[in-house]
């Protein structure tokens, strides 16, 4: 598990855990981003906000928040297997 | 008498809901506010066969969890007003997320029509949706539309009538985790015992989710005061047995259901990249780490150039027209033998009043045009994103920037726009410092004084005032944050929609609706103020208009000594400032009235002001107090405590700044 802020641009990952209050969790859930979601980092400049994509929806996440989302990086193979399920 | 059908439009932000609303109702729409809050409420109607269909446009929402004001409004409306039909507008290219709201509406047992909007974008992405199967599965009508091209509107209208004629009672149910279903079985009878009218399964779910508004509602409406004691053990039990947070469980179940359903109705050939290709190219530049902020500033600069250079000459034309109208009316009245008092009332009071409102129309329209345009292209979301880091270091939220930008137009809609901020604390902070942003009503004051005292560097001086406002807003925000809100700023989580070419009609409609609200609000206040000034200047009877002996002069004399250290201890200046509270641009009008006409001001002012005290006066006008309309909005969005703070700190800060400028300037000279 590594924080989202450490995932490079272009890498695909699975969300494991979101640390935040109920309000923040709900906000993510409502936008379709929940634990076990498979996502891709569209842009991570390393210091500023991170953009992720899930099923064509793009969400910008502040840098502080990106440090509180823990994810697992996928190799290309893993990602495709999971998609097929 | 036509039969009336009440429908509500629900949907995610960026789902094209506004376009659908415009297509359905055309020009038959008006904007008000939802009770108790300053969130825009759009209503309209249209006729179809023997029916009159009234449409309420609910705020754009992702779910019905009531975690934001918008969601609470939408949910309360559905619970209390019980519309005949809810049309849920779905962005067909984002089915999974959009269907979350659909399932929530279904669980609430709304009589639903599902509108698969932006079907062209979905198809371009390679998504093929089987709407017949979807309709069969959910047991509700499904229509396809392309709202921004006005396609499918008639089909939607027909579907509304049909749905009204054969009302359905939904048996929709999502099967939840076993533990949750067991808990539901115990909670639902609790509600049944107390004759709860709303859908019990839905309410029970909301109770388990720990929804504070629903808990409150149950307590208030059905007097089940011990509801929390009954629910809490259930929640603890589930969370203990499953080792998961209950919200996570429920939401996971809902998404599980949606995924299963989408598998049935969807044939996708993954061509996702197409729709993002163009947006990606644009984003590479627009939100680039180095270019993002300069581009943002450039766009803002271009906006203001457009608003003021294009709007300015038109405003001048309107101004010229009204002074001509005033003179002409004066002549006519004089020839008809009217008294001086009556002539003055019509020329200075009525025509002057209406003119001073309409003069702002070109600027306001252009500003709202640009803002609506930027919103529709998808840039506004990026602007918040680009500014987030900078705003965070200033103690504000990235989304605070949008209200700040709007503040350059008018602080009233700007403060209304703070409702996009989820955190109450960020919201209040943004509201408190917003009046420091120079609104367009303050510009006439700057223009008047700089054209008299700073002819060579007019633009630079005006710019320095705008800049001063921004710097002060930042400093004050920092100070207030340290005093009142020590906690972290809420993190930025924001959807970035693909760039879209805005629909001209939609931009125009949005522009007009906003401008209308502003004009009516500001217009009435400004008009009343001008007439009031006229009365105070003319009374007691027989006194020379606006002279020292008039009521107005006496008020000014009381306040004037306070401004002596700032270099403008004149009763005329004090009077202008007092009336400026009612609306800032009135300062110019008042000075005009007091010094015998706005036309002569450029000759008269140098006798009373030095360039230094003139600058101090402009700074005072910038800061000293939010205008009455802004104060009213602050009160509506917060409470009296914050409103009084906003008034108090600005009065003190304005005076200190004006005095500092005058005193330091004198020493330097």
């Amino acid at each position: 598990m590594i924080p989202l802020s450490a995932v490079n641009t272009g890498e695909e990952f699975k969300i494991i855990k979101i640390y935040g209050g109920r309000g923040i969790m709900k906000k993510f859930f409502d936008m379709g981003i929940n634990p076990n979601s498979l996502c891709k980092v569209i842009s991570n400049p390393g210091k500023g906000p991170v953009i992720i994509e899930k099923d064509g929806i793009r969400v910008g996440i502040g840098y502080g928040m990106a440090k509180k989302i823990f994810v697992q990086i996928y190799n290309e193979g893993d990602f495709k297997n999971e998609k097929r399920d | 008498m036509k039969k009336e059908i009440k429908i509500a439009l629900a949907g995610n932000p960026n789902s094209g809901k506004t376009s659908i609303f415009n297509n359905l109702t055309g020009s038959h729409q008006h904007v008000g506010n939802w009770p108790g809050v300053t969130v825009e409420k759009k209503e309209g109607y249209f006729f179809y066969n023997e029916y009159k269909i009234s449409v309420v446009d609910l705020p754009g929402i992702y779910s019905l969890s009531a975690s934001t004001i918008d969601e609470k409004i939408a949910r309360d409306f559905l619970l209390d007003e019980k519309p005949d039909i809810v049309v849920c507008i779905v962005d067909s290219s984002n089915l999974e997320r959009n269907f979350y709201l659909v399932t929530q509406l279904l669980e609430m047992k709304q009589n639903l029509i599902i509108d698969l909007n932006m079907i062209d974008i979905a198809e371009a992405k390679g998504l093929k949706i089987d709407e017949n199967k979807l309709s069969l599965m959910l047991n509700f009508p499904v229509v396809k539309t392309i709202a921004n091209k006005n396609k499918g509107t008639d089909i939607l209208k027909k579907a509304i009538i049909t749905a009204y004629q054969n009302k359905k009672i939904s048996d929709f149910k999502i099967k939840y985790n076993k533990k949750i279903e067991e808990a539901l079985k115990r909670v639902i009878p609790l509600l049944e015992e107390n004759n709860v009218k709303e859908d019990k399964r839905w309410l029970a779910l909301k109770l388990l989710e720990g929804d504070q508004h629903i808990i409150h509602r149950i307590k208030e409406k059905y007097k089940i005061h011990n509801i929390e004691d009954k629910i809490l053990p259930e929640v603890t039990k589930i969370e203990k047995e499953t080792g998961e947070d209950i919200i996570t469980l429920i939401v996971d179940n809902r998404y599980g259901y949606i995924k299963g359903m989408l598998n049935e109705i969807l044939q996708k050939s993954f061509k996702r990249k197409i729709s993002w290709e163009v947006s990606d190219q644009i984003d590479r530049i627009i939100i680039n780490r180095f270019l993002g902020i300069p581009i943002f500033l450039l766009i803002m600069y271009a906006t203001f150039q457009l608003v003021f250079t294009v709007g300015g000459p038109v405003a001048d034309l309107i101004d010229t027209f009204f002074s001509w109208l005033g003179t002409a009316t004066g002549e006519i009245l004089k020839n008809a033998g009217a008294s001086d008092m009556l002539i003055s009332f019509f020329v200075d009071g009525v025509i002057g009043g209406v003119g001073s409102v309409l003069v702002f129309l070109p600027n306001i329209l252009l500003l709202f045009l640009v803002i609506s345009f930027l919103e529709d292209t998808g840039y506004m979301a990026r602007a918040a994103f680009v500014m987030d880091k900078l705003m965070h270091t200033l103690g504000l939220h990235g989304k605070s920037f949008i209200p700040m930008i709007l503040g350059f137009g008018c602080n009233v809609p700007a403060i209304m726009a703070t409702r996009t901020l989820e955190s109450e604390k960020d919201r209040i902070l943004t509201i408190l410092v917003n009046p420091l942003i120079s609104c367009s009503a303050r510009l006439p004051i700057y223009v008047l004084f700089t054209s008299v005292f700073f002819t060579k560097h007019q633009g630079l001086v005006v710019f320095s005032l705008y800049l001063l406002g921004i710097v002060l807003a930042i400093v004050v925000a920092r100070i207030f944050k340290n005093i009142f809100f020590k906690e972290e700023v809420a993190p930025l989580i924001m959807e970035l929609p693909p760039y879209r070419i805005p629909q001209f009609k939609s931009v125009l409609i949005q522009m007009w609706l906003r401008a209308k609200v502003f004009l009516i609000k500001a217009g009435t206040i400004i008009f009343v103020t001008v007439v009031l000034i006229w009365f105070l200047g003319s009374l007691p009877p027989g006194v020379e208009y606006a002279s020292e002996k008039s009521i107005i002069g006496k008020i000014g004399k009381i306040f004037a000594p306070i401004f002596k250290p700032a270099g403008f201890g004149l009763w005329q200046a004090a009077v202008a400032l007092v009336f400026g509270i009612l609306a800032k641009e009135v300062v110019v009008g008042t000075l005009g009235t007091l010094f015998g006409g706005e036309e002569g001001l450029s000759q008269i002012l140098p006798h009373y002001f030095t360039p230094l005290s003139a600058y101090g006066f402009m700074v005072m006008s910038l800061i000293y107090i939010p205008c009455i309309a802004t104060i009213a909005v602050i009160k509506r969005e917060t409470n009296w405590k914050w409103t009084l703070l906003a008034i108090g700190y600005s009065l003190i800060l304005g005076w200190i700044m004006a005095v500092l400028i005058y005193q330091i300037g004198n020493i330097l000279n």
Side-chain angles (χ1 to χ4, degrees):
Chain A
M1 271 207 318
I2 60 163
L4 173 60
S5 54
V7 183
N8 294 326
T9 303
E11 282 181 323
E12 291 172 328
F13 63 89
K14 181 165 140 179
I15 293 179
I16 305 294
K17 180 98 192 143
I18 298 168
Y19 288 95
R22 280 202 161 188
I24 289 169
M25 298 237 302
K26 270 228 91 96
K27 176 126 192 156
F28 274 114
F29 290 157
D30 294 346
M31 288 180 149
I33 294 166
N34 38 329
N36 296 326
S37 282
L38 296 168
C39 317
K40 184 177 174 182
V41 172
I42 296 299
S43 149
N44 181 3
K47 264 186 165 178
V50 179
I51 306 176
I52 65 169
E53 179 178 316
K54 192 209 161 199
D55 290 346
I57 306 161
R58 298 229 171 145
V59 180
I61 298 170
Y63 185 62
M65 189 65 228
K67 285 191 281 196
K68 292 188 198 157
I69 300 174
F70 284 85
V71 306
Q72 189 183 338
I73 295 185
Y74 264 74
N75 300 317
E76 200 146 311
D78 299 341
F79 188 73
K80 273 184 186 141
N81 284 337
E82 191 112 0
K83 265 263 138 88
R84 237 174 262 143
D85 289 340
Chain B
M1 216 7 219
K2 290 195 180 240
K3 273 189 222 158
E4 191 167 338
I5 308 178
K6 278 197 322 188
I7 72 166
L9 302 183
N12 283 189
N14 302 315
S15 62
K17 203 161 57 65
T18 309
S19 301
I20 294 273
F21 180 71
N22 292 339
N23 292 344
L24 284 177
T25 59
S27 56
H28 300 294
Q29 43 178 279
H30 70 99
V31 181
N33 280 329
W34 293 91
V37 285
T38 42
V39 176
E40 262 180 18
K41 181 184 190 182
K42 283 199 230 161
E43 289 175 285
Y45 61 88
F46 64 93
F47 296 101
Y48 200 90
N49 295 344
E50 73 270 30
Y51 294 99
K52 180 191 178 183
I53 297 105
S54 57
V55 189
V56 173
D57 188 18
L58 298 175
I61 48 172
Y62 292 112
S63 82
L64 292 168
S65 56
S67 58
T68 65
I69 301 177
D70 287 351
E71 287 179 4
K72 190 176 171 326
I73 288 167
R75 199 170 76 181
D76 287 351
F77 180 83
L78 295 175
L79 283 175
D80 298 327
E81 303 291 323
K82 300 186 185 67
D84 295 313
I85 293 163
V86 177
V87 179
C88 187
I89 290 121
V90 167
D91 171 0
S92 304
S93 61
N94 281 337
L95 281 180
E96 188 172 331
R97 204 252 338 251
N98 277 257
F99 264 74
Y100 191 74
L101 182 63
V102 175
T103 54
Q104 296 227 307
L105 290 167
L106 286 166
E107 283 192 300
M108 230 180 140
K109 300 285 152 73
Q110 296 295 333
N111 190 11
L112 208 60
I113 293 176
I114 294 142
D115 177 353
L116 299 174
N117 192 29
M118 302 201 253
I119 198 77
D120 52 339
I121 295 172
E123 276 162 11
K125 266 185 173 182
L127 295 172
K128 237 177 121 7
I129 305 165
D130 187 340
E131 79 263 37
N132 294 328
K133 202 166 185 185
L134 178 64
S135 173
L136 221 63
M137 281 176 78
L138 299 179
N139 204 17
F140 279 110
V142 177
V143 295
K144 286 181 174 176
T145 56
I146 307 170
N148 58 1
K149 290 175 190 153
N150 200 0
K151 280 186 186 160
T153 309
D154 214 52
I155 298 170
L156 176 60
K157 285 182 178 173
K158 263 182 213 147
I160 291 167
I161 306 294
T162 321
Y164 180 75
Q165 285 163 344
N166 19 328
K167 257 182 201 157
K168 274 181 191 151
I169 295 160
S170 163
D171 55 350
F172 180 85
K173 217 185 218 180
I174 292 177
K175 215 167 158 341
Y176 286 96
N177 179 298
K178 220 171 91 194
K179 305 280 174 205
I180 293 176
E181 287 292 343
E182 280 166 14
L184 284 175
K185 266 184 203 142
R186 286 186 292 269
V187 176
I188 291 170
L190 255 170
L191 299 172
E192 272 167 356
E193 278 166 29
N194 289 281
N195 294 319
V196 171
K197 282 189 194 64
E198 293 89 345
D199 187 74
K200 287 156 207 80
R201 188 179 160 89
W202 182 75
L203 278 184
L205 266 169
K206 286 282 148 197
L207 289 173
L208 288 178
E209 282 179 28
D211 190 310
Q212 288 305 318
H213 294 284
I214 292 292
I215 292 171
H216 185 75
R217 192 183 170 91
I218 298 274
K219 279 187 187 168
E220 287 288 301
K221 207 170 160 189
Y222 299 107
K223 311 283 173 223
I224 317 178
H225 293 289
N226 61 348
I227 193 77
E228 276 164 305
D229 305 334
K230 294 266 167 74
I231 298 294
L232 212 61
E234 297 285 353
V235 176
T236 329
K237 188 165 169 262
I238 295 170
E239 292 190 342
K240 220 171 134 194
E241 283 172 9
T242 59
E244 288 264 22
D245 182 85
I246 188 150
I247 293 183
T248 314
L249 279 176
I250 292 177
V251 174
D252 258 3
N253 276 180
R254 280 197 193 121
Y255 274 114
Y257 173 85
I258 294 167
K259 265 188 187 144
M261 183 178 68
L262 291 184
N263 265 340
E264 294 279 319
I265 62 155
L266 214 55
Q267 305 165 344
K268 48 180 162 180
S269 51
F270 264 90
K271 283 197 282 178
R272 188 196 298 163
K273 275 187 182 140
I274 291 172
S275 76
W276 279 103
E277 222 164 56
V278 180
S279 288
D280 269 347
Q281 296 292 341
I282 301 170
D283 266 345
R284 205 157 292 156
I285 301 159
I286 294 281
I287 56 175
N288 179 287
R289 191 147 53 115
F290 304 107
L291 295 176
I293 291 174
I295 288 173
F296 172 77
L297 294 176
L298 205 69
I299 290 176
M300 285 305 118
Y301 178 75
T303 306
F304 278 89
Q305 281 298 321
L306 182 75
V307 168
F308 294 118
T309 54
V310 178
V314 187
D316 288 346
L317 271 178
I318 296 176
D319 203 26
T320 318
F321 170 74
F322 274 96
S323 46
W324 169 82
L325 189 69
T327 324
T329 315
E331 299 259 314
I332 293 166
L333 285 174
K334 206 170 187 177
N335 292 338
S339 72
D340 282 353
M341 185 111 170
L342 194 71
I343 295 171
S344 165
F345 175 76
F346 275 104
V347 175
D348 300 328
V350 178
I351 296 175
V354 175
S356 63
V357 178
L358 289 185
V359 136
F360 285 98
L361 192 61
N363 286 352
I364 297 284
L365 280 179
L366 279 168
L367 183 75
F368 284 138
L369 179 76
V370 177
I371 286 168
S372 304
F373 177 83
L374 288 177
E375 265 178 358
D376 277 16
T377 55
Y379 181 73
M380 277 304 198
R382 266 85 178 176
F385 188 79
V386 164
M387 296 309 293
D388 185 59
K389 209 177 149 221
L390 182 65
M391 295 306 278
H392 257 80
T393 50
L394 304 178
L396 289 167
H397 191 270
K399 283 189 191 169
S400 304
F401 217 87
I402 296 166
M404 292 301 193
I405 299 161
L406 286 171
F408 287 116
C410 173
N411 300 116
V412 173
I415 288 169
M416 288 174 177
T418 57
R419 66 181 173 81
T420 54
L421 289 150
E422 286 95 21
S423 148
E424 191 66 18
K425 282 159 191 156
D426 295 342
R427 233 165 79 82
I428 291 172
L429 199 60
T430 312
I431 290 172
L432 285 178
V433 300
N434 198 283
L436 291 172
I437 302 296
S438 282
C439 66
S440 57
R442 272 166 264 195
L443 192 62
I445 309 173
Y446 304 161
V447 170
L448 171 69
F449 278 87
T450 51
S451 68
V452 176
F453 294 98
F454 303 97
T455 34
K456 271 193 185 149
H457 305 288
Q458 202 180 350
L460 196 69
V461 172
V462 173
F463 182 71
S464 77
L465 288 159
Y466 274 91
L467 201 65
L468 179 70
I470 298 167
V471 172
L472 284 175
I474 291 166
V475 173
V476 171
R478 265 251 95 103
I479 294 170
F480 281 169
K481 188 158 176 63
N482 283 327
I483 300 174
F484 300 109
F485 316 109
K486 289 231 169 77
E487 299 96 83
E488 270 292 290
V489 178
L492 174 90
I493 305 162
M494 188 145 167
E495 195 191 339
L496 302 175
Y499 288 99
R500 286 187 192 132
I501 295 168
Q503 194 198 347
F504 188 61
K505 198 174 139 201
S506 154
V507 170
L508 278 187
I509 288 175
Q510 280 183 60
M511 171 197 81
W512 173 239
L513 290 177
R514 284 178 167 148
K516 203 166 77 180
V517 171
F518 167 78
L519 273 181
I520 293 167
K521 263 200 185 113
T524 25
I525 291 167
I526 295 167
F527 182 72
V528 168
T529 313
V530 174
V531 173
L532 187 69
I533 290 176
W534 183 84
F535 269 109
L536 291 181
S538 307
L539 295 175
V543 79
E544 194 191 330
Y545 183 56
S547 67
E548 280 182 79
K549 288 193 182 104
S550 65
I551 297 180
I552 227 176
K554 283 175 188 152
I555 296 171
K557 281 208 158 150
I558 297 167
F559 283 102
I562 303 172
F563 299 115
K564 202 139 201 245
F568 47 88
L570 325 154
W571 64 270
Q572 292 95 332
V575 168
L577 287 175
V578 170
F579 280 104
I581 297 171
L582 292 159
K584 296 247 167 152
E585 61 272 45
V586 172
V587 169
V588 174
T590 312
L591 286 174
T593 321
L594 296 180
F595 288 121
E598 271 180 51
E599 304 77 36
L601 276 178
S602 52
Q603 274 93 54
I604 294 166
L605 283 178
H607 295 296
Y608 294 92
F609 287 91
T610 63
L612 190 61
S613 67
Y615 193 79
F617 185 77
M618 288 191 284
V619 170
M620 185 69 188
S621 310
L622 159 66
I623 307 168
Y624 76 113
I625 198 171
C627 72
I628 197 82
T630 310
I631 293 173
V633 180
I634 297 177
K635 164 66 184 59
R636 278 182 81 179
E637 291 288 328
T638 62
N639 54 35
W640 273 120
K641 187 182 124 195
W642 298 117
T643 314
L644 290 175
L645 178 70
I647 297 170
Y649 95 77
S650 54
L651 276 173
I652 295 165
L653 182 68
W655 185 82
I656 291 175
M657 289 304 294
V659 170
L660 275 182
I661 284 165
Y662 189 68
Q663 298 299 340
I664 293 173
N666 265 341
I667 293 166
L668 292 180
N669 274 349

